[in-house]
Every structure is written in structure tokens, then in C-alpha cells.
Amino acid sequence: MNQATTGTPLGANPARGDAVAMRGCAELSIVVPTLNERANVGLLVARLREALARIEWEVVFVDDDSKDGTIAAVRDIAAIDYRVRAIRRIARRGLAGACLEGILSSSAPIVAVMDGDLQHDETRLSAMFEIVRGGGADMVIASRYQEDGSADGAMTQLRTSGSRLATRLAQSLLKTPIHDPMSGFFMARREIVDAVAPRLSRQGFKILLDIVASSPAMRIKEIPYAFGPRLHGQSKLDSMVVAEYIGLLIAKASGDLISTRFLAFGMVGSAGVAVHLTALHALLSRGLPFAAAQTAAMFTAMAFNYSLNNAFTYRDLRRRGWHFLTGFGLFAALCSFGVVAGVGVSSLLYTNPSRWWVAGLAAAAVGTAWNYVTNSAITWRPR
Ligand SMILES: Nc1nc2c(ncn2[C@@H]2O[C@H](COP(=O)(O)OP(=O)(O)O)[C@@H](O)[C@H]2O)c(=O)[nH]1
Ligand SMILES: [Mg+2]
């Protein structure tokens, strides 16, 4: 029996005594990524209750298995407030991926992302909501750098300059007119995110930039806010975030041809070549026979590449403990095939001795592509 014949929501049959839940989903889903924010979540929910008194809202905390018991704190609040939900992610890291997962887990027609550390001014949410609901924009960004907005209370001089530089880079590379493409505080119509979700990077910090770059026809408005100081806990922004950010810019500027991960993999590979040559030189100068020196240098470079890739390139899928060791076995085996494939291609191309470098470059490209594709699919496959 369907809705047309029963006049009730799909699947429910009152004649059979089914209960019909008539409460629809919220009008606004707020996604809050958290990593060790136990001391902040209760206060944030209290502030949301006050700021959103006239809106049907829900909040989804997406926690990357914080060690400080953040998820337990969220569940305590959820036990008394049905609008509070929790997602606990295990063995995964990454702000962008957490935000995306939270958005995709929710159903409200309008979604927002904000930090869990009280640095984002929740009193701006209702104004943002009115703009999106009223059709004034597809997305509203709460911006730190408009006339009345400020970041004075929260950032050190170095971070302010770094953030401004990153903003300029984003603006010129992506040709985005927005003032604060680095903001982590925004709201959008659900369809906007749904449409581009499969293409968004799950690594890194900057999901907003990624959504904006992937949705050229979107109508955006910015409203100012004061970026407040962190009350409890510590910032998780580290130097890797800067590297990931540059990777994201290059990925977007190349129309997603070059992914952040591939770029990192390539950079680690280039550093590995230097390690290989240094080790080879050192071992040869100690009088080791060439074959032995070459084998030892190769393993040193592989161990170096594997460890660096595990720590940075695939930091969100990092292998630990016993899995670290088995992963090295996989990596070494796959890369050995990469050498064979590279040598095969270069011998096919090596027809003219004066163009030796063409064959050499082709070997490096084929080897790198093989290593990247197979190791992404096997050694660091998403678990
Ligand atoms: N789920 C999840 N949340 C994160 C991660 N890194 C940071 N966060 C959260 O993202 C928000 C912004 O991070 P924060 O360290 O305050 O960045 P900052 O304000 O730029 O210094 C906070 O709510 C953090 O708890 C992560 O890897 N996973
Ligand atoms: Mg913060």
C-alpha cells in the first residue's frame, strides 16, 4: 500500500496499528567537528538553545575518537535533548571528512558547519539561516575579515599574517570574490553540498574552500563576525595543515587533475630519490660492493618513503603497531612491481641515446603512478 492510497507517510499503515511519527526533520542541521573538546560541548549546546529559540534545529557532533571523552559528554547531553546527535569515527582523522560525514548524516534542508570550541559566534546563525531560507543566497559565510568582523581576540600575529596570505592565495588562484574563503563557519542549502560531495577532499582543514571551488554557480553572501578566543583546550592546526592547504589549492587550480594526496606522494617519492642516492654514495664510499650497496640503499629509501607516506600522505588512514609492519611488506612488494613496470616502459621508449631522459622520465612517471594507485587501493585502503 502506498501513500496515495493510505494518505499517511510511506510505509506506515494505521489500519495495522503502525505508529505514525509525524515529527519532521529539523529545519537546520548544525555540524560540529570535534577533537578533544570535552570542556566546550556542553556550553556550545547551551548557547545554541538560546540563539536558535525560534528555529527547529539539531546539532551533529562528529568526533574523531577524542581521548578526552568528548563523545561521552555529547551523549550525556543527547540523553536529555533529542536535538543533539553524535557520530564517533574510529581510526580516521581530518576536519574536512568529519564535516562532510556530519552533513551527509543529516536531513535538514539547510546545513551549517561551525567549530566546537566556541570561537564561532553562534548568535550569527539565525541571521545566516534567514538569508538562506529566504532565498537570498545558496550559501552564507561568516567572515572574519569584513569591516565589522575581526580576528583580533583569537589569533597570534603570525597566524593572522599566515591566514591573510593563505586567503590572498586562494582568492587569486581560484578567482573567488569572497573575503574569507578560509572560514570554518558557514551555512548552505543541502543540495549544494550533496551535488559536490563525491568530489570533495576528505583530507585537510578547508572544506568551505573546496565546496566553493567545486560549485561555480553558487550564490554566496558573507556576514561579519568576531572570531573569539578559545576558552578551553588547544588548537589542532599544525604545520601539516599548511601543506594540505597548498595541496588543495593546486588540486583546485588543476581542475582536480592532481589530488592533494598524489602531490604528497610525489613529493615523498622525490625526497626518497635523494635518500637513495645519499645512502648509495655513503655505502659505496665505505667499500661495499655495488649490488649490496644498491640493495641496502633501496630498502633505506623504501622504509623512508613508507614511513613518510604513512605519517603524512595517508595520515587519515595511518597504519599503526602490527599493521605498520605488514603495511611495509605490502608497500615494498608493490613498489618492486613499480620498478619492473618503469624499467619495461623505459626500455620500450629508449630508441635514441641522446634522448635518454625521455625514457628515464617515462619510467619515473609510470613507476610513480603504479605505486600511487596500487598503494592507495591496497596498503592504505580506507578501512
Ligand atoms: N572530527 C575532527 N575535528 C577536528 C579535527 N581537527 C580539528 N577538529 C575540530 O575542528 C574545530 C576547529 O579546530 P581548531 O583546532 O580549533 O582550529 P583553529 O580554530 O583554526 O585553531 C574544533 O572544533 C576542533 O575540535 C579532526 O581531525 N577531526
Ligand atoms: Mg578553534
Side-chain angles (χ1 to χ4, degrees):
M1 215 177 279
N2 62 26
Q3 196 168 11
T5 54
T6 61
T8 61
L10 279 175
N13 180 357
R16 208 170 52 204
D18 291 354
V20 182
M22 291 304 289
R23 198 182 69 218
C25 69
E27 300 171 275
L28 170 67
S29 297
I30 303 156
V31 173
V32 180
T34 55
L35 195 60
N36 298 326
E37 304 289 1
R38 185 189 175 89
N40 292 320
V41 290
L43 209 49
L44 176 61
V45 174
R47 290 188 182 183
L48 290 178
R49 284 190 194 117
E50 202 161 312
L52 299 173
R54 289 201 301 277
I55 299 173
E56 281 287 329
W57 58 275
E58 65 170 353
V59 61
V60 185
F61 287 93
V62 188
D63 186 62
D64 280 357
D65 213 16
S66 299
K67 295 291 168 270
D68 72 344
T70 301
I71 201 80
V74 173
R75 294 237 159 92
D76 284 348
I77 310 166
I80 53 160
D81 192 337
Y82 69 91
R83 297 171 298 189
V84 177
R85 294 206 284 122
I87 296 178
R88 178 185 171 198
R89 307 200 311 162
I90 309 241
R92 276 183 293 164
R93 270 291 153 81
L95 187 54
C99 295
L100 187 61
E101 209 159 313
I103 292 174
L104 297 181
S105 82
S106 65
S107 299
I110 300 177
V111 292
V113 171
M114 74 186 293
D115 287 358
D117 57 5
L118 311 168
Q119 290 192 279
H120 292 162
D121 178 2
E122 72 290 338
T123 63
R124 307 306 283 153
L125 283 168
S126 59
M128 294 160 81
F129 181 74
E130 290 312 329
I131 296 173
V132 179
R133 183 167 62 177
D138 298 317
M139 172 183 269
V140 177
I141 301 169
S143 166
R144 288 167 291 185
Y145 297 126
Q146 288 195 310
E147 265 155 45
D148 304 331
S150 93
D152 297 347
M155 303 210 283
T156 61
Q157 188 61 39
L158 185 68
R159 256 196 85 177
T160 307
S161 324
S163 180
R164 279 182 196 269
L165 178 68
T167 302
R168 293 230 178 85
L169 261 175
Q171 286 164 338
S172 59
L173 249 157
L174 305 175
K175 305 189 177 50
T176 48
I178 47 183
H179 292 86
D180 192 6
M182 313 292 290
S183 175
F185 188 16
F186 60 93
M187 192 180 287
R189 291 197 300 115
R190 160 172 305 282
E191 297 98 271
I192 295 287
V193 186
D194 269 346
V196 295
R199 280 183 279 139
L200 298 179
S201 164
R202 279 168 294 287
Q203 290 169 285
F205 247 57
K206 298 304 169 198
I207 186 170
L208 170 67
L209 188 64
D210 205 356
I211 296 173
V212 171
S214 309
S215 325
M218 179 165 58
R219 292 170 307 131
I220 302 173
K221 267 218 169 103
E222 282 181 276
I223 66 167
Y225 84 101
F227 188 56
R230 194 177 242 286
L231 286 190
H232 304 284
Q234 287 173 347
S235 168
K236 284 94 206 171
L237 194 133
D238 59 17
S239 48
M240 263 315 287
V241 168
V242 178
E244 282 175 345
Y245 172 68
I246 293 170
L248 179 64
L249 287 187
I250 295 176
K252 290 299 150 189
S254 71
D256 280 326
L257 261 179
I258 305 171
S259 76
T260 315
R261 223 195 268 289
F262 181 65
L263 212 70
F265 195 85
M267 269 156 46
V268 169
S270 315
V273 172
V275 168
H276 186 151
L277 294 180
T278 313
L280 185 60
H281 180 257
L283 294 170
L284 285 177
S285 60
R286 293 216 173 131
L288 232 71
F290 184 78
Q294 170 71 339
T295 310
M298 222 170 73
F299 270 98
T300 310
M302 266 193 208
F304 169 86
N305 281 15
Y306 173 70
S307 309
L308 239 61
N309 279 322
N310 194 51
F312 301 119
T313 316
Y314 299 94
R315 72 200 295 233
D316 52 327
L317 300 165
R318 192 174 293 167
R319 299 179 73 110
R320 296 169 201 273
W322 173 246
H323 292 287
F324 179 83
L325 290 179
T326 56
F328 181 56
L330 285 172
F331 182 78
L334 292 169
C335 293
S336 309
F337 280 109
V339 172
V340 175
V343 170
V345 167
S346 63
S347 1
L348 279 178
L349 288 175
Y350 186 72
T351 45
N352 179 349
S354 69
R355 307 261 307 262
W356 59 270
W357 53 272
V358 176
L361 274 183
V366 169
T368 308
W370 164 276
N371 290 345
Y372 176 68
V373 170
T374 56
N375 279 298
S376 293
I378 298 172
T379 314
W380 287 283
R381 72 179 175 279
R383 277 158 279 158

